[in-house]
Amino acid sequence: ASAEYFLTIDELNAQRSSLGDKNLRVSGAVIGDSIQYDAQGLTLTFEVAHVPADNLAVETEGGLAEALHQAVLDPSRARLKVVYEGVKPDLLRNEAQAIMTGHLGEDGIFYADELLLKCPTRYEEALPEQADL
């Protein structure tokens, strides 16, 4: 009963009617303009855009940073509204990869219990340049 299903936003939307109240893990690209935070109530809302889960598809788009960038820019990609109760994470910003654990409400909003953020552009800048031999 405590199993978590890892889904992309497209998969979540396709299986919406059969998910019930299952605990899910969903990943997407944070849309920076959608971030709203109520510091007094510790309520964070934002939207994420679909990013492919297939590594080959991500590499075809130019790597994870570019895939996240394209996901945010493309209005035709599936989007999901997320609500998280807690302190706003420092890494929550436009084009960050959000990995959320929680459940999908009957209202179509994803209620996250856990929120993990990765900012690949931040780490790519830290990579050393390859030496030409």
Side-chain angles (χ1 to χ4, degrees), residues 1 83 115 120-121:
V83 173
L115 177 59
T121 53

Side-chain angles (χ1 to χ4, degrees), residues 63-113:
L64 184 57
E66 185 61 24
L68 293 167
H69 177 70
Q70 292 303 320
V72 169
L73 291 180
D74 185 354
S76 69
R77 296 220 190 174
R79 296 182 175 206
L80 178 66
K81 183 175 182 179
V82 178
V83 173
Y84 173 73
E85 301 288 331
V87 177
K88 180 182 174 186
D90 290 338
L91 290 178
L92 184 69
R93 60 187 62 157
N94 191 47
E95 298 180 10
Q97 179 185 20
I99 301 169
M100 302 143 306
T101 303
H103 70 279
L104 185 66
E106 289 182 18
D107 54 6
I109 296 172
F110 189 83
Y111 293 91
D113 301 318

Side-chain angles (χ1 to χ4, degrees), residues 59 62-65 119-131:
E59 289 305 315
L64 184 57
C119 293
T121 53
R122 181 176 175 189
Y123 302 113
E124 284 177 359
E125 293 169 3
L127 292 176
E129 300 237 357
Q130 294 292 325

Side-chain angles (χ1 to χ4, degrees), residues 19 22 39 42-43 46 51 63 71 80 84 88 122 129 133:
L19 293 174
K22 290 181 184 170
L42 296 179
T43 303
F46 59 97
V51 176
L80 178 66
Y84 173 73
K88 180 182 174 186
R122 181 176 175 189
E129 300 237 357
L133 298 176

Side-chain angles (χ1 to χ4, degrees), residues 6-9 26-31 46-52 68 71-72 78 80 95-100 116-118:
F6 185 77
L7 301 170
T8 65
I9 295 171
V26 181
S27 177
V30 174
I31 301 167
F46 59 97
E47 288 186 355
V48 291
H50 171 77
V51 176
L68 293 167
V72 169
L80 178 66
E95 298 180 10
Q97 179 185 20
I99 301 169
M100 302 143 306
L116 172 68
L117 295 154
K118 297 180 183 180

